[in-house]
Amino acid sequence: MKLLIQLLAVGAVAGVGGALTRAVQWDTLPTLALGLASAALTLLVYVFVVGRTERRPVTELARAGALPALGLGALIGFAMFSAVIANLAFLGDYRVDGYGSASGAVALLGFMAAAAVTEELLFRGILFRIIEGRIGTWWSLALTGLLFGLMHLGNEDANLWGAIAIAIEAGGMLAAAYAATRSLWLPIGLHFAWNFAGAGVFGAEISGNEAPDGLMKGVTSGPSLISGGEFGPEASIYSVGFGVAVMAVFLWLAHRRGAIVPRRRRDRAAATASIAQ
């Protein structure tokens, strides 16, 4: 029941915020303001509803260490997307056709903040965390990663390979980031910076969605497996490769810290209690 209550509460606030943000049709300041407000309100609702339904401090959004975790996540996310673009450019599959739009980048800042916060709270903060407590880390990572990928099939230029790529490089990697840190701040920062670097800086399509120009007018070409095609560089084999590598590092850290929740019930209960402490 708590899973449903949390999903409905957070999803409702995020849905209204997303609808209002889209309604202003990328008008710079309204999109920025509504996006940031939606992100902040969704965080507050998450803390309130999780604290009330689980009767505990919401440590995964603790204020202590929030800024360093956000910063580290943002650094990782920006570095990853930059590495993907660098490899595409080396092959001649990405080029810059001039300057883009500073106002577009500002609007994307608010939009991507709301998207990163909303998706991390729903998929890692609620779904992954609660399901992990029942079936363990590995199965929860696989299941919620798959759901995260399938969700993107509703995007304008979505395709099955793009959804699979998102499931691995984002759904799996971000769940692993949470498992390693037991904090949502790092995956939120990583998610935001990945998306903003793609659309807001390099002018690429993100998950098959149309967006205004970012700081650059980026153009991708070449085989879809390399460039990502109409879905954008997230469907590039480079994105999948980097995502798997970073996911492996986070899972190694989680294992080293004893943060992997086992599948067996009696071992899972002991491990969950140890992690909470």
Side-chain angles (χ1 to χ4, degrees):
M1 182 60 71
K2 67 181 179 182
L3 175 64
L4 182 60
I5 293 172
Q6 292 174 15
L7 284 175
L8 287 175
V10 175
V13 175
V16 172
L20 290 174
T21 304
R22 289 189 295 273
V24 299
Q25 299 182 338
W26 297 109
D27 193 1
T28 304
L29 292 181
T31 302
L32 175 65
L34 286 169
L36 294 178
S38 177
L41 184 57
T42 307
L43 285 166
L44 291 173
V45 170
Y46 177 93
V47 171
F48 174 79
V49 73
V50 170
R52 291 294 295 269
T53 56
E54 299 186 16
R55 301 178 184 276
R56 66 174 179 87
V58 185
T59 55
E60 63 268 26
L61 284 177
R63 293 182 183 179
L67 287 179
L70 279 170
L72 177 59
L75 181 63
I76 295 171
F78 190 87
M80 285 180 64
F81 206 96
S82 298
V84 172
I85 291 296
N87 278 277
L88 294 180
F90 178 77
L91 295 175
D93 293 330
Y94 173 83
R95 71 178 190 275
V96 177
D97 280 355
Y99 294 109
S101 166
S103 61
V106 171
L108 284 164
L109 189 70
F111 184 86
M112 294 306 182
V117 167
T118 295
E119 292 178 5
E120 289 313 300
L121 295 184
L122 289 172
F123 281 90
R124 262 59 70 178
I126 298 175
L127 285 174
F128 174 79
R129 180 179 57 81
I130 292 178
I131 293 173
E132 181 191 37
R134 299 176 182 176
I135 62 175
T137 300
W138 299 106
W139 284 102
S140 181
L141 186 147
L143 177 59
T144 59
L146 178 61
L147 290 174
F148 190 67
L150 291 175
M151 180 194 72
H152 289 77
L153 281 175
N155 295 350
E156 295 178 54
D157 296 320
N159 54 56
L160 182 59
W161 164 244
I164 293 172
I166 288 290
I168 298 170
E169 76 203 23
M173 178 188 64
L174 292 167
Y178 172 75
T181 61
R182 296 296 154 178
S183 168
L184 289 168
W185 294 120
L186 190 145
I188 286 173
L190 199 165
H191 192 154
F192 165 76
W194 170 273
N195 283 351
F196 184 73
V201 177
F202 296 109
E205 282 201 37
I206 292 294
S207 306
N209 282 317
E210 295 290 338
D213 288 334
L215 296 177
M216 304 177 190
K217 287 186 177 179
V219 178
T220 55
S221 58
S224 295
L225 189 64
I226 302 297
S227 67
E230 293 184 350
F231 193 84
E234 285 178 312
S236 166
I237 194 68
Y238 285 116
S239 293
V240 176
F242 287 130
V244 169
V246 174
M247 177 171 59
V249 171
F250 280 129
L251 289 174
W252 173 78
L253 284 173
H255 175 74
R256 185 175 182 180
R257 294 170 178 175
I260 298 292
V261 178
R263 184 182 179 189
R264 290 183 299 174
R265 180 170 299 180
R266 60 183 181 182
D267 291 342
R268 187 170 70 245
T272 304
S274 175
I275 290 169
Q277 292 174 357

